[in-house]
Amino acid sequence: MNEAIHNLPALIDNKAGAYRILPGGSVFCAGVLPYEGFEVVRVLLRPWIALEQAYGFIEKYLKSAGRPVQAFCGIELRVPAPLTFGQWSSFNVPYLKQLREWGLIFGDQSGVCRSNIALALTAPAVTSVCAFSYTVPTTGKVKTFFLSGTADIDSSGKIIAEGDTGAVAMQKRARFTIDTVGATLGKLKVSWEDTTQIALFHVADIPNLWGPALLGTFGEAVRRGVLVYHARPPLVGAEVELEARAVRQELMVATN
């Protein structure tokens, strides 16, 4: 690894998977950064697979790609509807059991990025995987990284502007996710400009979204556009979620 990456503070090494982990909690990490000589590849699934069946699919896929299961570093889920905090806790039990079996829990910290999105239109009947990511060796000089989705929920579990979807509240919610993702990028020593894709999820209107106080703060990264989805974060009461990543390779993989 180069010196800049080696000196990053508070990162956890996943040596088998060839990436370093920015801790984020027991359920998902904040972000991952591949070792020098490796990159993150994102796999888009078509059609999506129910989460319970996706574990086996991911194992087989990684084996066929010549990568250990510990190279798995990101999963993107679509849930039927937002969950209560109690439902969220129950939902995570079998997921974390699977990560432990794969050797992707480090102490009490998850080593995998995750996003959970509740689509407001045509939501799946069961929790489904729409994409996952893993690391591969590379000879190219590429800068890739992956972050978990960030919702409008603070570190104590309090929802920002809870119960309010008015103009000021929605701007406040969006500002929180932008600031939080920006801080995560900074901890990985990367920036908005380094991203290759930014995605925003919301249903209620966010006035002046593209103005200088919100998406305009991305600088040149906004030239690439922002994917906007009619959707919500996975917890009842949350309204805005933001994702950011940098990948060179995105693969569309048939699942049937």
Side-chain angles (χ1 to χ4, degrees), residues 38-100:
F38 288 82
E39 66 176 297
V40 175
V41 174
R42 185 172 181 240
V43 176
L44 307 174
L45 301 179
R46 187 170 182 178
W48 300 347
I49 313 176
L51 178 58
E52 291 181 358
Q53 284 73 53
Y55 298 132
F57 181 91
I58 290 169
E59 283 185 340
K60 291 178 181 178
Y61 182 91
L62 291 176
K63 185 177 181 180
S64 70
R67 297 295 291 144
V69 72
Q70 291 84 8
F72 174 65
C73 64
I75 190 166
E76 297 168 56
L77 305 178
R78 298 294 182 260
V79 297
L83 306 172
T84 64
F85 280 98
Q87 291 170 328
W88 174 258
S89 296
S90 298
F91 173 83
N92 286 317
V93 171
Y95 172 75
L96 293 176
K97 180 176 182 291
Q98 184 63 64
L99 290 194
R100 289 189 191 95

Side-chain angles (χ1 to χ4, degrees), residues 154-207:
D154 68 19
S155 58
S156 69
K158 178 178 174 56
I159 295 173
I160 305 302
E162 186 172 8
D164 190 349
T165 56
V168 173
M170 290 302 295
Q171 289 177 325
K172 184 178 180 180
R173 291 173 186 259
R175 182 73 259 164
F176 174 84
T177 64
I178 291 169
D179 289 345
T180 304
V181 172
T184 300
L185 292 171
K187 291 174 183 177
L188 292 174
K189 303 300 182 185
V190 296
S191 68
W192 291 111
E193 190 172 337
D194 294 316
T195 64
T196 59
Q197 189 177 89
I198 299 169
L200 178 68
F201 304 84
H202 70 103
V203 173
D205 185 47
I206 305 175

Side-chain angles (χ1 to χ4, degrees), residues 127-143:
T127 298
S128 301
V129 179
C130 66
F132 69 92
S133 299
Y134 66 104
T135 60
V136 298
T138 182
T139 57
K141 292 184 178 181
V142 295
K143 181 184 289 187

Side-chain angles (χ1 to χ4, degrees), residues 17 28-29 111 175 184 217 238 242 253:
F28 47 81
C29 65
R175 182 73 259 164
T184 300
T217 60
L242 187 66
V253 173

